[in-house]
Amino acid sequence: YVTYAAYPDEKPVITGEVPVTDWKKSGKIWAAPFNADTAAMLVVNGKMQILARTPNNGYFVPPAISNSTDELYFNKGEIKSWKEMDGNRVIMLLRWHTGINSIANVDEKNGIITFKSPQEGVIIVPPRYYVENVKALLDAPGEWFFDKKLKTIYYIPANDINNPNEVKAGVPEIDQLIEVRGKIGQPVRNLRFYGLTFEGTTAGNSTISYKFAHACEFVDNEVSSCGGTAVSVREGCYQTRILNNIFESVDNGGIYVNGPAKPADGREITRETTISYNKFYNCGGINIFASYTLITTISHNYITKTKGRYGIDVGGWANQEE
C-alpha cells in the first residue's frame, strides 16, 4: 500500500492557485496586481469568492415573455448600460439547462436586453437570471473583479476578513491536481489518499482522476472551489472506494464514474465502485454520476444546495446482461 495522509492535527492543502498578494485599500475596495490575461475565480481561505454581480443574491425575473431568442425583458432599474461591459455574462436558469450569454445592448427606456447571440429557450418561459463580470457591479462583501487592461484584481473582503494581506488568496491556473493512471494489465494498485484538502482548479478537467486503478481509496478528504469535476473514475478501475469526503463549490460535477460503452477487453470495464458517506454542498453539474459501470454502490451520501440538474444520475447500458 502507498498512502498519502494528513499528519495528525495538521491540514495539508494541495492547490492549483497562484497567490495574490500586495493588496492596497482604497475606500472599501482592495486592489492587487495580477499579471495574467484571465482570472477564472478568486479563492480566499479555500472559499470561492463571488464575481461582481447583480442582484447580489438570488435572481431577477423578467416581467414578460421574450418576443425573440435575441432579447430579454427586465424591470426598470434592474439593468443599466454600465461602463466597461466587455466580458459581461448573463446567467439564466432555463427549463432544461443553464444559459450563458452576453449583453450587446441595453434599452433602459423599454426595458430590453439584446444578446450578443440567440439564446435557446428564452421565449418559452421567462428565466431567472443574474448579470456578472461588470466592474460597476462590485458593491458587496465577498465580491471581486479582474480588470484585464490594468492587470488588477479588485476585491471587497467578506465580512469575516479585515485585511486580505492576512489571509490566503489565490487564482486557480491549472485544471488538475492528481492523475492516477495505470495501463491495461499494469494498473495502479492500493493507492490511498486520506485527510487531504484539494482546492483551486479551473474548468475543463477533473481535480482528481483515476484510470486503470485497482483497490484505491479516497477517504476523509475535502475538495473545494474547483471549476471542473472533483473526482472521476474512468476505464479499467476496480474496487475504487470514495468514502466520507466533503465536496463544496465544485462547478461541474462531484464524483463521475464513467466506464467505456464498448470495452474491447474485460479489463477495461469499470466495476465495484463504492461511493458512500460523502457530503456535497453548492455543487454544479451532477453531484454523483455513474454510467457504463458494473456493481456500483452509491449510499448514505448527503447532497444539498445543488446547482446542477441532478443530485444523482445513473445510466449507460441498455440492460443488465449487456
Side-chain angles (χ1 to χ4, degrees):
Y1 292 92
V2 174
T3 304
Y4 292 90
Y7 193 82
D9 300 320
E10 292 189 0
K11 184 180 178 179
V13 178
I14 301 169
T15 177
E17 302 159 19
V18 172
V20 179
T21 58
D22 196 24
W23 295 92
K24 300 290 191 300
K25 187 178 182 182
S26 177
K28 66 177 182 179
I29 298 175
W30 293 73
F34 188 70
N35 189 22
D37 295 327
T38 60
M41 67 180 78
L42 178 67
V43 178
V44 177
N45 282 350
K47 295 187 178 297
M48 191 185 301
Q49 302 303 289
I50 303 164
L51 187 57
R53 57 166 282 179
T54 185
N56 290 329
N57 296 289
Y59 304 88
F60 290 134
V61 178
I65 295 174
S66 302
N67 292 317
S68 77
T69 57
D70 296 302
E71 64 183 28
L72 189 71
Y73 285 91
F74 63 88
N75 294 299
K76 185 177 181 180
E78 289 179 345
I79 307 298
K80 299 178 181 179
S81 184
W82 297 291
K83 294 180 180 180
E84 301 179 46
M85 289 186 63
D86 290 346
N88 78 83
R89 285 193 293 269
V90 185
I91 312 297
M92 293 164 279
L93 299 188
L94 298 159
R95 291 184 72 181
W96 305 115
H97 68 286
T98 299
I100 302 176
N101 216 311
S102 294
I103 298 172
N105 183 65
V106 178
D107 184 345
E108 294 190 43
K109 181 178 179 181
N110 296 305
I112 300 175
I113 290 171
T114 303
F115 293 125
K116 285 190 175 180
S117 58
Q119 177 64 59
E120 177 188 358
V122 295
I123 292 179
I124 303 171
V125 175
R128 291 178 292 161
Y129 73 97
Y130 63 90
V131 180
E132 67 177 10
N133 203 34
V134 177
K135 189 174 183 179
L137 303 179
L138 181 63
D139 61 0
E143 288 191 345
W144 70 282
F145 177 81
F146 174 54
D147 191 314
K148 294 182 180 180
K149 296 179 181 178
L150 300 178
K151 305 288 186 183
T152 300
I153 291 179
Y154 298 93
Y155 176 52
I156 300 178
N159 290 325
D160 59 345
I161 297 173
N162 294 321
N163 185 341
N165 289 300
E166 298 173 352
V167 299
K168 182 171 70 70
V171 171
E173 285 209 342
I174 58 175
D175 62 8
Q176 188 169 53
L177 298 179
I178 300 288
E179 180 184 24
V180 180
R181 183 178 64 192
K183 295 187 293 185
I184 191 165
Q186 293 179 306
V188 175
R189 301 179 189 273
N190 305 320
L191 177 62
R192 310 184 296 187
F193 297 109
Y194 294 163
L196 306 176
T197 296
F198 302 88
E199 70 177 44
T201 56
T202 59
N205 209 334
S206 297
T207 301
I208 299 98
S209 70
Y210 293 87
K211 183 176 180 180
F212 290 107
H214 289 189
C216 292
E217 293 186 349
F218 192 82
V219 180
D220 292 334
N221 302 295
E222 296 183 21
V223 184
S224 64
S225 302
C226 296
T229 303
V231 178
S232 63
V233 180
R234 297 170 179 160
E235 65 263 38
C237 289
Y238 168 60
Q239 290 187 342
T240 308
R241 293 178 288 273
I242 304 174
L243 310 171
N244 202 43
N245 304 285
I246 295 174
F247 300 91
E248 184 172 3
S249 298
V250 179
D251 283 348
N252 285 296
I255 301 171
Y256 275 37
V257 184
N258 197 2
K262 296 182 178 180
D265 186 302
R267 292 172 293 179
E268 294 179 350
I269 296 173
T270 300
R271 55 199 173 100
E272 296 184 41
T273 307
T274 301
I275 302 169
S276 298
Y277 301 100
N278 302 284
K279 297 181 176 67
F280 299 82
Y281 303 93
N282 198 40
C283 292
I286 301 166
N287 285 213
I288 302 175
F289 176 67
S291 179
Y292 300 114
T293 70
L294 295 179
I295 320 175
T296 305
T297 300
I298 301 172
S299 72
H300 302 90
N301 298 285
Y302 179 78
I303 300 172
T304 186
K305 295 183 179 179
T306 176
K307 298 188 295 183
R309 185 173 178 183
Y310 300 118
I312 300 175
D313 183 21
V314 299
W317 287 313
N319 57 68
Q320 186 175 6
E321 290 74 19
E322 181 181 3

